[in-house]
Amino acid sequence: MNLNLFDIVEKEKWQRMQDGFSNALGICIQTVDLEARPLPGINNSNEFCLDIINEAGKNIKAHCEECLKQLISNIRKDKSHNYHICPVGGGLYLYGIPIEIEQGITLAYVIVGPVIAGKKKSREEYNKIAEENNIGTDYLIEKIAALKSFSFNSIDATVGLLHEVAHYILQLNYDIKRLKKRFAVPGPL
């Protein structure tokens, strides 16, 4: 079975769900394909990452791309969880959620973050991170201050809820599509 996420759910519906969670929670949420590339036709911007990459240059961009690929690789290896966590440094985390239909067929991944899980680091720790990445400390702290901070329990519950909603939307649309095909019902969903 060679399905695409948007073979099952309309881009506009998916974008509304993604934007709704992102706006309500104040966090970046992006959907990527099986190769960790942003899905075409939907807004996947992550201002924090883009700003830091622009400030620090290609080394950080390569690190971000590698981290995203590692997160997806971890999801593929261990299907026992609804999501996976990837520490990206500086007390920041990415959460990866496989978007699946029945029998564990993965169509895409929803990436949440970066978010701060637990307490923020001290200025001295941010100085070290900034120095290692050739970024001004004040610039880094300003960007990190704009990120949402969660307790570990709170972000776990949030990501778990996002997984359930995304899975429900996808599975419902998939089941409707199959029923329409089975009973030869014309027209869109």
Side-chain angles (χ1 to χ4, degrees):
M1 183 181 306
N2 191 13
L3 286 175
N4 173 306
L5 176 65
F6 299 131
D7 291 336
I8 296 173
V9 65
E10 295 172 31
K11 284 181 188 180
E12 295 78 20
K13 282 184 184 178
W14 193 261
Q15 184 73 57
R16 281 195 310 272
M17 185 272 303
Q18 180 177 291
D19 289 349
F21 267 95
S22 181
N23 293 333
L25 298 168
I27 56 178
C28 178
I29 299 174
Q30 55 184 322
T31 305
V32 298
D33 69 12
L34 300 177
E35 304 304 318
R37 295 177 302 240
L39 289 178
I42 65 171
N43 179 13
N44 281 312
S45 66
N46 183 328
E47 290 181 26
F48 175 83
C49 292
L50 293 174
D51 288 349
I52 295 296
I53 288 168
N54 285 338
E55 181 73 13
K58 294 179 182 175
N59 291 340
I60 290 287
K61 183 176 185 193
H63 172 75
C64 291
E65 290 169 353
E66 188 57 38
C67 184
L68 191 56
K69 288 178 182 175
Q70 184 62 47
L71 178 60
I72 289 172
S73 174
N74 291 344
I75 293 169
R76 286 182 181 152
K77 289 177 193 170
D78 180 7
K79 296 203 177 246
S80 65
H81 303 337
N82 290 339
Y83 60 89
H84 286 263
I85 306 166
C86 179
V88 295
L92 304 177
Y93 296 85
L94 288 179
Y95 287 74
I97 306 167
I99 303 304
E100 303 171 326
I101 53 174
E102 64 186 22
Q103 301 165 345
I105 299 168
T106 303
L107 301 180
Y109 301 97
V110 170
I111 308 300
V112 176
V115 298
I116 300 167
K119 69 176 193 166
K120 292 185 180 182
K121 299 213 173 280
S122 69
R123 182 164 182 87
E124 292 76 32
E125 291 171 299
Y126 286 131
N127 277 338
K128 184 177 179 197
I129 293 165
E131 208 172 272
E132 290 170 354
N133 292 290
N134 198 29
I135 303 171
T137 302
D138 290 336
Y139 180 83
L140 179 64
I141 290 172
E142 173 190 331
K143 294 300 175 186
I144 287 177
L147 293 177
K148 187 78 173 186
S149 182
F150 292 88
S151 70
F152 284 102
N153 288 338
S154 183
I155 189 65
D156 285 349
T158 299
V159 173
L161 177 62
L162 180 56
H163 172 267
E164 291 301 316
V165 170
H167 177 75
Y168 178 77
I169 289 170
L170 189 62
Q171 190 65 50
L172 180 64
N173 279 280
Y174 180 67
D175 291 343
I176 290 169
K177 186 174 181 134
R178 286 190 326 177
L179 287 171
K180 287 184 80 154
K181 184 176 180 180
R182 181 175 176 193
F183 295 107
V185 177
L189 288 177

